[in-house]
Amino acid sequence: MTEEKITPQVFQRLVDLAALELDPKEAEYLRQELNNQLVSIEILESIPIDAEVEAAAHGVPYPPERSPAFRDDEALTDPHRADILAQAPELEDGYIVVPDIAQEELE
Amino acid sequence: MTYADTSAHEIADLVRSGKTSALEILESHLERVKAVDGRPGVLEPGPITAEDKEKVHAFITLTAETARARAKEIDQLVADGEDPGPLAGVPFTAKDIYTVKGVPSTAASKILSNYRAPYTATAVQRVIDAGGVLLGKVSLDEFTYGSSSESAAFKPAPRNPWDTSKVTGGSSGGSAAAVAVGAGALSLGTDTGGSIRHPASFCGTVGLKPTYGRVSRYGLIAFGSSLDCPGPLARNVTDAALLLQTMAGPDRHDNTAATVPVPNYLAELEKGVKGMRIGLSPDFFRVTYFDAETGELQERAIPEEIEAAIHSVAGYLAQQGADIVTDVPMPHTKYGIPTYFVISRVEASSNLLRFDGVKYGYRTQQSLADLREMYRHTRGEGFGEQPKLRILMGIYVSAAQFQKQYYQLALRARALMRQDFETIFDPAGDYKLDALLTPTVPSTAFPIGGVYGDTVLMQYSDQFTVTTNHAGIPGLSVPAGFDENNLPIGAQLLGPDFSEGRLLRIACAYERVTADEPWRAKRPPVVEKFG
């Protein structure tokens, strides 16, 4: 077994970026699974890939004849305003309510 | 046999001709759901009982009343001399990853458990407009993340109709199970790494992943935006063709929905396979899996019964006039899963950032004074383990210092997988194949709890389906018999971009020539017992 790359410190950094609150048991399971997956991913480094092979962000090509034209750039009012707002967990006078946005004093 | 066992195209004929009412057909399906499905999945199910373990649990939301209203509308149209459309009165289900206006759209996740979409996905709307009757929303792995449907936050999770101690496969497990038991003749699934074909194989149904861009993704709760494909599940090839016909085509709401004309798939079915070149590849008859002990890739043959079933399909196609081409090399197949571990995670972590407890969905009940704390607790409580893993891995492998090592490398490996397919389908190349015939999954359905928890092993179940998604090409899984434990085996047909008509045609030829085989008459034990 190779040395684990996602140490508890690296993991904590990922958790902060992901905006997740985890209990310790769950955190340890997730960290172990990430390390297992990462070892599997590292097989990629053994693939012989010629230098000229470029990255493919998607499989199927989109030549102009297969691609829809862009829509006109015009503003349209969405007909579902009330339905959309009704989904917000907390609403006041048509505004979505959230807790305070934390501010830090910059030095 | 009841109308719940009738095929979609026959139902549509009965309803359009006025021989049977859509309401009568619907009631037959609702009775079947009541008999075999058991209680629908919920967030707080309490203990899973012995009775739960005998039922299927395909549904999260049953929409019986709106379905009755819709069936009456269809019947009124017929009474007025109007044609309700090619799917007139056909009860269907949609994987709960499609939005449907006014109906919960949960993605089988706590974080969307209270979400009611303000709009309906294009593919679902097209089926409704063609006369379809939405029976309900069916279960899946949370956010589609899995190959067994066990990670649904709504429990009981779906169980395999052929043996309820086994998984349905996934992630469209509710779709495949529902179709298999006659809880809707059709279902709309989605396929990002095999999620239509895998459960279709495990549950003995037809499942088609169309070419990327063939069907609009508008209204899908996104997983991997460069990989996701909506597609049909059905009990026979004709019904799958009928559903794809309805779902496919350009859409002003999705700029990746290609402006390629939709052929008449039903007409394609009649053309047979004479003169077609169909390939078999040794790279799809062995599993290359990751050994955690050594950190190396190991090889293992697939079960003999599955290999024999695929060769039997090839034999029937040869008998119908196809040329079978053996030893077709697909050298990058074994890298499909490691590549997927990178690409799908990067795309998933990006797509999951939108769930924050602000605009819609679940928000933590804890009273927190700081917005960032609210985000952390909402996401920590709302997401299950599988979304959390994908978010964390996606962030890691796309980090500035690693992205060349992982993400860029995976995208280049993806190009090689696309090249493998382009080479074998090239009309001027060495192989000139019309299609490649493979097993859909390297196993039949595995026991519930047997693999779940080991996320690497689970992912390797998608080895034969995932390269299709990397390449963007279409793939079709069809029933090809049973193993010694009476579990279905699936055969997969792969073809070049937009060759769905051809794949359906080959599958239909096989279906017709095997129509009288004894295994075709089998019904899921859960239907025999309760239906």
Side-chain angles (χ1 to χ4, degrees), chain A residues 50-68:
Chain A
D50 292 343
E52 69 267 24
V53 173
E54 291 188 15
H58 52 84
V60 181
Y62 274 84
E65 65 272 19
R66 276 186 194 168
S67 309

Side-chain angles (χ1 to χ4, degrees), chain B residues 18-38:
Chain B
K19 287 183 185 146
T20 310
S21 74
L23 191 61
E24 192 180 343
I25 283 170
L26 172 67
E27 293 301 340
S28 168
H29 284 77
L30 289 171
E31 274 174 36
R32 179 63 59 82
V33 173
K34 195 176 169 193
V36 306
D37 203 53

Side-chain angles (χ1 to χ4, degrees), chain B residues 372-455:
Chain B
R372 282 181 303 196
E373 284 298 300
M374 191 280 282
Y375 289 155
R376 292 173 63 98
H377 284 271
T378 293
R379 290 163 62 84
E381 294 164 20
F383 286 130
E385 283 169 354
Q386 298 308 317
K388 284 171 182 164
L389 273 171
R390 279 156 181 80
I391 295 168
L392 294 164
M393 183 59 95
I395 292 172
Y396 184 79
V397 296
S398 59
Q401 67 269 43
F402 299 132
Q403 73 107 20
K404 193 167 178 195
Q405 179 185 350
Y406 297 121
Y407 187 52
Q408 289 300 320
L409 190 58
L411 292 180
R412 294 173 71 218
R414 180 178 193 172
L416 296 177
M417 286 168 225
R418 171 87 189 169
Q419 278 177 18
D420 279 358
F421 286 111
E422 285 178 346
T423 301
I424 64 167
F425 297 136
D426 181 356
D430 289 342
Y431 297 96
K432 302 178 182 62
L433 295 185
D434 290 293
L436 188 69
L437 169 65
T438 80
T440 309
V441 187
S443 73
T444 52
F446 43 80
I448 290 172
V451 178
Y452 192 62
D454 183 335
T455 58

Side-chain angles (χ1 to χ4, degrees), chain A residues 1 5-6 10-12 14-22 26 29-30 33-62 64-71 76 80 83-85 87-90 96-104, chain B residues 101 114-116 118 211-213 226 252 255-260 290 292-293 295 297 335 338-339 341-342 357-361 363 368-372 374-377 379-380 383 385 388-389 391-393 395-396 405-406 408-416 418 453-456 460 470-472 497-498:
Chain A
M1 198 72 200
K5 293 206 168 169
I6 302 181
V10 172
F11 183 76
Q12 192 50 51
L14 295 175
V15 170
D16 287 343
L17 288 168
L20 292 170
E21 187 71 29
L22 304 177
E26 184 181 27
Y29 167 75
L30 294 174
E33 286 300 309
L34 287 178
N35 277 308
N36 291 343
Q37 294 182 4
L38 203 56
V39 182
S40 162
I41 288 169
E42 278 166 6
I43 298 293
L44 287 176
E45 291 177 24
S46 68
I47 312 179
I49 305 185
D50 292 343
E52 69 267 24
V53 173
E54 291 188 15
H58 52 84
V60 181
Y62 274 84
E65 65 272 19
R66 276 186 194 168
S67 309
F70 288 114
R71 295 198 300 262
L76 299 172
H80 309 112
D83 290 341
I84 292 167
L85 281 176
Q87 294 297 319
E90 197 176 345
I96 291 173
V97 180
V98 295
D100 278 348
I101 297 169
Q103 297 178 30
E104 289 169 25
Chain B
K101 186 176 167 66
N114 58 358
Y115 177 56
R116 283 175 184 266
T211 310
Y212 183 86
S226 79
R252 70 181 294 275
N255 219 50
T256 63
T259 54
V260 175
F290 167 73
E293 289 299 314
L297 284 178
Y335 302 119
T339 303
F341 264 132
V342 176
V358 172
K359 305 173 291 292
Y360 49 81
R363 181 189 284 191
L368 300 163
D370 177 327
L371 180 63
R372 282 181 303 196
M374 191 280 282
Y375 289 155
R376 292 173 63 98
H377 284 271
R379 290 163 62 84
F383 286 130
E385 283 169 354
K388 284 171 182 164
L389 273 171
I391 295 168
L392 294 164
M393 183 59 95
I395 292 172
Y396 184 79
Q405 179 185 350
Y406 297 121
Q408 289 300 320
L409 190 58
L411 292 180
R412 294 173 71 218
R414 180 178 193 172
L416 296 177
R418 171 87 189 169
D454 183 335
T455 58
V456 175
Y460 269 83
H470 289 310
D497 296 344
F498 301 102

Side-chain angles (χ1 to χ4, degrees), chain B residues 160-182:
Chain B
N160 194 306
W162 296 93
D163 176 349
T164 54
S165 73
K166 302 289 197 297
V167 301
T168 54
S171 68
S172 307
S175 289
V179 165
V181 299

